[in-house]
């Protein structure tokens, strides 16, 4: 993960660290999401509620 520092708003002179994920990190995060998301979506689908307003 790369890290960049950006100035905080307000002109206080402090900086905020910003983590920028590398491509390998994104791939590692996306792989389990592609596997797990359909499983959990199927489990929670019956609980979707549509309310008439």
């Amino acid at each position: 993960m790369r890290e960049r520092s950006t100035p905080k708003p307000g002109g206080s002179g402090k900086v905020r660290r910003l983590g920028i994920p590398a491509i390998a990190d994104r791939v590692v995060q996306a792989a389990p999401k592609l596997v797990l998301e359909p499983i959990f979506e199927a489990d929670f689908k019956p609980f979707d509620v549509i309310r008439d307003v």
Side-chain angles (χ1 to χ4, degrees):
M1 180 164 317
R2 294 185 308 175
E3 187 176 297
R4 298 284 182 197
S5 296
T6 60
K8 284 189 170 184
S12 63
K14 296 182 180 179
V15 294
R16 177 180 292 140
R17 295 185 341 209
L18 176 64
I20 303 171
I23 292 177
D25 293 332
R26 293 182 201 162
V27 170
V28 170
Q29 292 171 5
K33 179 183 180 273
L34 289 173
V35 173
L36 295 175
E37 190 172 38
I39 296 168
F40 284 102
E41 286 294 324
D43 286 345
F44 288 108
K45 197 66 166 177
F47 297 108
D48 285 346
V49 176
I50 300 174
R51 298 180 181 170
D52 294 331
V53 178

